[in-house]
Amino acid sequence: MKTNSLTLRTINPNTVAGRFRTACAARLLALLLLLALPAVGQAQFNIITNNGTITITGYTGSNGMVMIPGAIAGLPVTSIGDWAFYYATSVTNVLIPDSVTNIGDGAFFDCQLLTNVTVGRSVTSMGDWTFAFCPSLMSVCCRGNGPSLGGGNVFYGNLATIDRKSVV
């Protein structure tokens, strides 16, 4: 009777082949984590769908840096709704993509730690009280021409400077 023998080899991480396999495994893990990020990031927002577009209506995340996605589930994010980030205590920086055209009333009202906002090129209007009572807000950079401001209270209660110049 013939028996099959199985030889197990241990990969020595100090050999070239062992280091190569370890590096490949590490890169694969990093890639998989990177691919998972958009799903995790998008779970931070409450949304509604309206005529094939997305409006962000709330924020449930705890990250300081908030990057609003240009699309969720294949639909463009075109609006940040009224009071969407109201009293979001952890938010420090916000990047609004070019897909967004409107920022609603009080969208970032009373975000105490918010320091910097970059507004996408396509935003044409900001509602009243959008950045009111954000005492840490130092700058709002509007890429492109900058939006029209909806009322005299958009920046009430803070010392932010507004850059309405074109930014690449």
PDB file of all heavy atoms in Angstrom, residues 89-118:
ATOM      1  N   THR A  89     -20.867  68.063  17.462  1.00  0.00           N
ATOM      2  CA  THR A  89     -19.822  68.482  18.397  1.00  0.00           C
ATOM      3  C   THR A  89     -18.414  68.024  18.032  1.00  0.00           C
ATOM      4  O   THR A  89     -17.443  68.598  18.518  1.00  0.00           O
ATOM      5  CB  THR A  89     -20.142  67.987  19.820  1.00  0.00           C
ATOM      6  OG1 THR A  89     -20.272  66.560  19.785  1.00  0.00           O
ATOM      7  CG2 THR A  89     -21.419  68.599  20.335  1.00  0.00           C
ATOM      8  N   SER A  90     -18.270  67.005  17.191  1.00  0.00           N
ATOM      9  CA  SER A  90     -16.934  66.503  16.869  1.00  0.00           C
ATOM     10  C   SER A  90     -16.355  67.087  15.578  1.00  0.00           C
ATOM     11  O   SER A  90     -15.169  66.958  15.323  1.00  0.00           O
ATOM     12  CB  SER A  90     -16.966  64.979  16.752  1.00  0.00           C
ATOM     13  OG  SER A  90     -17.827  64.601  15.692  1.00  0.00           O
ATOM     14  N   VAL A  91     -17.158  67.736  14.770  1.00  0.00           N
ATOM     15  CA  VAL A  91     -16.724  68.185  13.447  1.00  0.00           C
ATOM     16  C   VAL A  91     -15.764  69.369  13.552  1.00  0.00           C
ATOM     17  O   VAL A  91     -16.077  70.385  14.172  1.00  0.00           O
ATOM     18  CB  VAL A  91     -17.942  68.557  12.576  1.00  0.00           C
ATOM     19  CG1 VAL A  91     -17.509  69.133  11.239  1.00  0.00           C
ATOM     20  CG2 VAL A  91     -18.832  67.349  12.379  1.00  0.00           C
ATOM     21  N   THR A  92     -14.591  69.217  12.910  1.00  0.00           N
ATOM     22  CA  THR A  92     -13.584  70.288  12.904  1.00  0.00           C
ATOM     23  C   THR A  92     -13.323  70.843  11.516  1.00  0.00           C
ATOM     24  O   THR A  92     -13.028  72.021  11.367  1.00  0.00           O
ATOM     25  CB  THR A  92     -12.245  69.793  13.491  1.00  0.00           C
ATOM     26  OG1 THR A  92     -11.786  68.685  12.715  1.00  0.00           O
ATOM     27  CG2 THR A  92     -12.397  69.386  14.948  1.00  0.00           C
ATOM     28  N   ASN A  93     -13.398  70.004  10.500  1.00  0.00           N
ATOM     29  CA  ASN A  93     -13.139  70.413   9.114  1.00  0.00           C
ATOM     30  C   ASN A  93     -14.155  69.740   8.208  1.00  0.00           C
ATOM     31  O   ASN A  93     -14.489  68.579   8.412  1.00  0.00           O
ATOM     32  CB  ASN A  93     -11.735  69.974   8.674  1.00  0.00           C
ATOM     33  CG  ASN A  93     -10.655  70.663   9.452  1.00  0.00           C
ATOM     34  OD1 ASN A  93     -10.360  71.815   9.218  1.00  0.00           O
ATOM     35  ND2 ASN A  93     -10.066  69.948  10.391  1.00  0.00           N
ATOM     36  N   VAL A  94     -14.602  70.479   7.177  1.00  0.00           N
ATOM     37  CA  VAL A  94     -15.578  69.930   6.249  1.00  0.00           C
ATOM     38  C   VAL A  94     -15.117  70.217   4.820  1.00  0.00           C
ATOM     39  O   VAL A  94     -14.737  71.343   4.502  1.00  0.00           O
ATOM     40  CB  VAL A  94     -16.982  70.528   6.470  1.00  0.00           C
ATOM     41  CG1 VAL A  94     -17.970  70.021   5.423  1.00  0.00           C
ATOM     42  CG2 VAL A  94     -17.492  70.206   7.862  1.00  0.00           C
ATOM     43  N   LEU A  95     -15.174  69.178   3.991  1.00  0.00           N
ATOM     44  CA  LEU A  95     -14.892  69.314   2.561  1.00  0.00           C
ATOM     45  C   LEU A  95     -16.182  68.985   1.814  1.00  0.00           C
ATOM     46  O   LEU A  95     -16.705  67.872   1.902  1.00  0.00           O
ATOM     47  CB  LEU A  95     -13.776  68.356   2.140  1.00  0.00           C
ATOM     48  CG  LEU A  95     -13.421  68.339   0.668  1.00  0.00           C
ATOM     49  CD1 LEU A  95     -12.953  69.720   0.202  1.00  0.00           C
ATOM     50  CD2 LEU A  95     -12.348  67.306   0.400  1.00  0.00           C
ATOM     51  N   ILE A  96     -16.704  69.979   1.101  1.00  0.00           N
ATOM     52  CA  ILE A  96     -17.956  69.828   0.354  1.00  0.00           C
ATOM     53  C   ILE A  96     -17.599  69.650  -1.119  1.00  0.00           C
ATOM     54  O   ILE A  96     -16.912  70.494  -1.696  1.00  0.00           O
ATOM     55  CB  ILE A  96     -18.865  71.056   0.573  1.00  0.00           C
ATOM     56  CG1 ILE A  96     -19.197  71.191   2.070  1.00  0.00           C
ATOM     57  CG2 ILE A  96     -20.133  70.950  -0.268  1.00  0.00           C
ATOM     58  CD1 ILE A  96     -19.888  72.474   2.448  1.00  0.00           C
ATOM     59  N   PRO A  97     -18.052  68.561  -1.744  1.00  0.00           N
ATOM     60  CA  PRO A  97     -17.643  68.272  -3.128  1.00  0.00           C
ATOM     61  C   PRO A  97     -18.327  69.172  -4.154  1.00  0.00           C
ATOM     62  O   PRO A  97     -19.315  69.853  -3.855  1.00  0.00           O
ATOM     63  CB  PRO A  97     -18.071  66.819  -3.312  1.00  0.00           C
ATOM     64  CG  PRO A  97     -19.273  66.685  -2.451  1.00  0.00           C
ATOM     65  CD  PRO A  97     -18.980  67.550  -1.235  1.00  0.00           C
ATOM     66  N   ASP A  98     -17.813  69.114  -5.375  1.00  0.00           N
ATOM     67  CA  ASP A  98     -18.357  69.915  -6.468  1.00  0.00           C
ATOM     68  C   ASP A  98     -19.773  69.502  -6.857  1.00  0.00           C
ATOM     69  O   ASP A  98     -20.485  70.271  -7.498  1.00  0.00           O
ATOM     70  CB  ASP A  98     -17.447  69.824  -7.698  1.00  0.00           C
ATOM     71  CG  ASP A  98     -16.120  70.549  -7.488  1.00  0.00           C
ATOM     72  OD1 ASP A  98     -16.025  71.385  -6.574  1.00  0.00           O
ATOM     73  OD2 ASP A  98     -15.175  70.268  -8.252  1.00  0.00           O
ATOM     74  N   SER A  99     -20.222  68.310  -6.482  1.00  0.00           N
ATOM     75  CA  SER A  99     -21.576  67.871  -6.839  1.00  0.00           C
ATOM     76  C   SER A  99     -22.661  68.630  -6.073  1.00  0.00           C
ATOM     77  O   SER A  99     -23.799  68.722  -6.525  1.00  0.00           O
ATOM     78  CB  SER A  99     -21.732  66.365  -6.576  1.00  0.00           C
ATOM     79  OG  SER A  99     -21.596  66.087  -5.196  1.00  0.00           O
ATOM     80  N   VAL A 100     -22.324  69.188  -4.922  1.00  0.00           N
ATOM     81  CA  VAL A 100     -23.304  69.898  -4.086  1.00  0.00           C
ATOM     82  C   VAL A 100     -23.587  71.273  -4.680  1.00  0.00           C
ATOM     83  O   VAL A 100     -22.663  72.025  -5.013  1.00  0.00           O
ATOM     84  CB  VAL A 100     -22.807  70.019  -2.629  1.00  0.00           C
ATOM     85  CG1 VAL A 100     -23.724  70.918  -1.803  1.00  0.00           C
ATOM     86  CG2 VAL A 100     -22.720  68.643  -1.998  1.00  0.00           C
ATOM     87  N   THR A 101     -24.878  71.615  -4.808  1.00  0.00           N
ATOM     88  CA  THR A 101     -25.271  72.918  -5.346  1.00  0.00           C
ATOM     89  C   THR A 101     -25.920  73.823  -4.304  1.00  0.00           C
ATOM     90  O   THR A 101     -25.980  75.027  -4.491  1.00  0.00           O
ATOM     91  CB  THR A 101     -26.263  72.745  -6.521  1.00  0.00           C
ATOM     92  OG1 THR A 101     -27.420  72.036  -6.052  1.00  0.00           O
ATOM     93  CG2 THR A 101     -25.623  71.987  -7.676  1.00  0.00           C
ATOM     94  N   ASN A 102     -26.393  73.242  -3.207  1.00  0.00           N
ATOM     95  CA  ASN A 102     -27.127  74.023  -2.218  1.00  0.00           C
ATOM     96  C   ASN A 102     -26.770  73.575  -0.805  1.00  0.00           C
ATOM     97  O   ASN A 102     -26.677  72.382  -0.521  1.00  0.00           O
ATOM     98  CB  ASN A 102     -28.631  73.842  -2.445  1.00  0.00           C
ATOM     99  CG  ASN A 102     -29.451  74.557  -1.408  1.00  0.00           C
ATOM    100  OD1 ASN A 102     -29.393  75.771  -1.300  1.00  0.00           O
ATOM    101  ND2 ASN A 102     -30.197  73.811  -0.624  1.00  0.00           N
ATOM    102  N   ILE A 103     -26.595  74.554   0.088  1.00  0.00           N
ATOM    103  CA  ILE A 103     -26.396  74.287   1.513  1.00  0.00           C
ATOM    104  C   ILE A 103     -27.539  74.985   2.237  1.00  0.00           C
ATOM    105  O   ILE A 103     -27.715  76.198   2.116  1.00  0.00           O
ATOM    106  CB  ILE A 103     -25.027  74.802   2.003  1.00  0.00           C
ATOM    107  CG1 ILE A 103     -23.900  74.145   1.203  1.00  0.00           C
ATOM    108  CG2 ILE A 103     -24.862  74.534   3.498  1.00  0.00           C
ATOM    109  CD1 ILE A 103     -22.521  74.718   1.483  1.00  0.00           C
ATOM    110  N   GLY A 104     -28.322  74.221   2.971  1.00  0.00           N
ATOM    111  CA  GLY A 104     -29.548  74.730   3.586  1.00  0.00           C
ATOM    112  C   GLY A 104     -29.346  75.606   4.804  1.00  0.00           C
ATOM    113  O   GLY A 104     -28.245  75.739   5.348  1.00  0.00           O
ATOM    114  N   ASP A 105     -30.458  76.175   5.265  1.00  0.00           N
ATOM    115  CA  ASP A 105     -30.466  77.029   6.456  1.00  0.00           C
ATOM    116  C   ASP A 105     -29.897  76.279   7.655  1.00  0.00           C
ATOM    117  O   ASP A 105     -30.277  75.132   7.916  1.00  0.00           O
ATOM    118  CB  ASP A 105     -31.892  77.471   6.798  1.00  0.00           C
ATOM    119  CG  ASP A 105     -32.466  78.465   5.817  1.00  0.00           C
ATOM    120  OD1 ASP A 105     -31.699  79.056   5.036  1.00  0.00           O
ATOM    121  OD2 ASP A 105     -33.695  78.650   5.831  1.00  0.00           O
ATOM    122  N   GLY A 106     -29.010  76.922   8.381  1.00  0.00           N
ATOM    123  CA  GLY A 106     -28.481  76.368   9.622  1.00  0.00           C
ATOM    124  C   GLY A 106     -27.748  75.048   9.471  1.00  0.00           C
ATOM    125  O   GLY A 106     -27.591  74.318  10.445  1.00  0.00           O
ATOM    126  N   ALA A 107     -27.286  74.717   8.280  1.00  0.00           N
ATOM    127  CA  ALA A 107     -26.691  73.399   8.027  1.00  0.00           C
ATOM    128  C   ALA A 107     -25.569  73.057   9.003  1.00  0.00           C
ATOM    129  O   ALA A 107     -25.442  71.909   9.422  1.00  0.00           O
ATOM    130  CB  ALA A 107     -26.189  73.310   6.593  1.00  0.00           C
ATOM    131  N   PHE A 108     -24.752  74.026   9.395  1.00  0.00           N
ATOM    132  CA  PHE A 108     -23.638  73.777  10.320  1.00  0.00           C
ATOM    133  C   PHE A 108     -23.778  74.628  11.586  1.00  0.00           C
ATOM    134  O   PHE A 108     -22.804  74.916  12.265  1.00  0.00           O
ATOM    135  CB  PHE A 108     -22.301  74.055   9.618  1.00  0.00           C
ATOM    136  CG  PHE A 108     -22.049  73.118   8.473  1.00  0.00           C
ATOM    137  CD1 PHE A 108     -22.432  73.470   7.183  1.00  0.00           C
ATOM    138  CD2 PHE A 108     -21.462  71.887   8.682  1.00  0.00           C
ATOM    139  CE1 PHE A 108     -22.226  72.604   6.118  1.00  0.00           C
ATOM    140  CE2 PHE A 108     -21.252  71.012   7.632  1.00  0.00           C
ATOM    141  CZ  PHE A 108     -21.627  71.373   6.350  1.00  0.00           C
ATOM    142  N   PHE A 109     -24.982  75.005  11.907  1.00  0.00           N
ATOM    143  CA  PHE A 109     -25.276  75.851  13.055  1.00  0.00           C
ATOM    144  C   PHE A 109     -24.728  75.240  14.346  1.00  0.00           C
ATOM    145  O   PHE A 109     -24.916  74.066  14.626  1.00  0.00           O
ATOM    146  CB  PHE A 109     -26.795  76.016  13.167  1.00  0.00           C
ATOM    147  CG  PHE A 109     -27.256  77.003  14.213  1.00  0.00           C
ATOM    148  CD1 PHE A 109     -27.505  78.318  13.876  1.00  0.00           C
ATOM    149  CD2 PHE A 109     -27.461  76.605  15.526  1.00  0.00           C
ATOM    150  CE1 PHE A 109     -27.962  79.230  14.817  1.00  0.00           C
ATOM    151  CE2 PHE A 109     -27.909  77.504  16.477  1.00  0.00           C
ATOM    152  CZ  PHE A 109     -28.152  78.823  16.130  1.00  0.00           C
ATOM    153  N   ASP A 110     -24.009  76.038  15.117  1.00  0.00           N
ATOM    154  CA  ASP A 110     -23.532  75.669  16.454  1.00  0.00           C
ATOM    155  C   ASP A 110     -22.567  74.480  16.461  1.00  0.00           C
ATOM    156  O   ASP A 110     -22.544  73.695  17.399  1.00  0.00           O
ATOM    157  CB  ASP A 110     -24.721  75.389  17.376  1.00  0.00           C
ATOM    158  CG  ASP A 110     -24.364  75.555  18.852  1.00  0.00           C
ATOM    159  OD1 ASP A 110     -23.353  76.206  19.159  1.00  0.00           O
ATOM    160  OD2 ASP A 110     -25.100  75.014  19.696  1.00  0.00           O
ATOM    161  N   CYS A 111     -21.766  74.346  15.397  1.00  0.00           N
ATOM    162  CA  CYS A 111     -20.692  73.348  15.387  1.00  0.00           C
ATOM    163  C   CYS A 111     -19.485  73.991  16.080  1.00  0.00           C
ATOM    164  O   CYS A 111     -18.685  74.678  15.447  1.00  0.00           O
ATOM    165  CB  CYS A 111     -20.353  72.925  13.962  1.00  0.00           C
ATOM    166  SG  CYS A 111     -21.637  71.933  13.179  1.00  0.00           S
ATOM    167  N   GLN A 112     -19.400  73.796  17.366  1.00  0.00           N
ATOM    168  CA  GLN A 112     -18.461  74.512  18.217  1.00  0.00           C
ATOM    169  C   GLN A 112     -16.990  74.348  17.843  1.00  0.00           C
ATOM    170  O   GLN A 112     -16.199  75.251  18.039  1.00  0.00           O
ATOM    171  CB  GLN A 112     -18.659  74.076  19.675  1.00  0.00           C
ATOM    172  CG  GLN A 112     -20.015  74.424  20.243  1.00  0.00           C
ATOM    173  CD  GLN A 112     -20.159  75.907  20.511  1.00  0.00           C
ATOM    174  OE1 GLN A 112     -19.300  76.514  21.115  1.00  0.00           O
ATOM    175  NE2 GLN A 112     -21.245  76.494  20.047  1.00  0.00           N
ATOM    176  N   LEU A 113     -16.599  73.188  17.316  1.00  0.00           N
ATOM    177  CA  LEU A 113     -15.191  72.925  17.001  1.00  0.00           C
ATOM    178  C   LEU A 113     -14.852  73.107  15.528  1.00  0.00           C
ATOM    179  O   LEU A 113     -13.696  72.925  15.135  1.00  0.00           O
ATOM    180  CB  LEU A 113     -14.804  71.511  17.451  1.00  0.00           C
ATOM    181  CG  LEU A 113     -14.942  71.229  18.949  1.00  0.00           C
ATOM    182  CD1 LEU A 113     -14.587  69.785  19.252  1.00  0.00           C
ATOM    183  CD2 LEU A 113     -14.089  72.190  19.757  1.00  0.00           C
ATOM    184  N   LEU A 114     -15.819  73.463  14.707  1.00  0.00           N
ATOM    185  CA  LEU A 114     -15.582  73.624  13.273  1.00  0.00           C
ATOM    186  C   LEU A 114     -14.617  74.781  13.038  1.00  0.00           C
ATOM    187  O   LEU A 114     -14.865  75.907  13.478  1.00  0.00           O
ATOM    188  CB  LEU A 114     -16.911  73.887  12.557  1.00  0.00           C
ATOM    189  CG  LEU A 114     -16.858  74.023  11.038  1.00  0.00           C
ATOM    190  CD1 LEU A 114     -16.324  72.744  10.392  1.00  0.00           C
ATOM    191  CD2 LEU A 114     -18.236  74.365  10.503  1.00  0.00           C
ATOM    192  N   THR A 115     -13.495  74.492  12.342  1.00  0.00           N
ATOM    193  CA  THR A 115     -12.486  75.522  12.098  1.00  0.00           C
ATOM    194  C   THR A 115     -12.357  75.909  10.632  1.00  0.00           C
ATOM    195  O   THR A 115     -12.116  77.065  10.320  1.00  0.00           O
ATOM    196  CB  THR A 115     -11.092  75.079  12.603  1.00  0.00           C
ATOM    197  OG1 THR A 115     -10.723  73.874  11.948  1.00  0.00           O
ATOM    198  CG2 THR A 115     -11.090  74.891  14.109  1.00  0.00           C
ATOM    199  N   ASN A 116     -12.486  74.942   9.715  1.00  0.00           N
ATOM    200  CA  ASN A 116     -12.269  75.216   8.293  1.00  0.00           C
ATOM    201  C   ASN A 116     -13.289  74.479   7.439  1.00  0.00           C
ATOM    202  O   ASN A 116     -13.612  73.326   7.712  1.00  0.00           O
ATOM    203  CB  ASN A 116     -10.872  74.748   7.867  1.00  0.00           C
ATOM    204  CG  ASN A 116      -9.788  75.495   8.594  1.00  0.00           C
ATOM    205  OD1 ASN A 116      -9.633  76.690   8.420  1.00  0.00           O
ATOM    206  ND2 ASN A 116      -9.044  74.786   9.426  1.00  0.00           N
ATOM    207  N   VAL A 117     -13.736  75.173   6.381  1.00  0.00           N
ATOM    208  CA  VAL A 117     -14.677  74.574   5.435  1.00  0.00           C
ATOM    209  C   VAL A 117     -14.194  74.894   4.028  1.00  0.00           C
ATOM    210  O   VAL A 117     -13.823  76.036   3.736  1.00  0.00           O
ATOM    211  CB  VAL A 117     -16.109  75.130   5.626  1.00  0.00           C
ATOM    212  CG1 VAL A 117     -17.072  74.533   4.606  1.00  0.00           C
ATOM    213  CG2 VAL A 117     -16.599  74.883   7.039  1.00  0.00           C
ATOM    214  N   THR A 118     -14.197  73.882   3.166  1.00  0.00           N
ATOM    215  CA  THR A 118     -13.931  74.099   1.743  1.00  0.00           C
ATOM    216  C   THR A 118     -15.210  73.767   0.995  1.00  0.00           C
ATOM    217  O   THR A 118     -15.740  72.658   1.112  1.00  0.00           O
ATOM    218  CB  THR A 118     -12.777  73.210   1.242  1.00  0.00           C
ATOM    219  OG1 THR A 118     -11.607  73.513   1.997  1.00  0.00           O
ATOM    220  CG2 THR A 118     -12.502  73.458  -0.230  1.00  0.00           C
TER     221      THR A 118
END
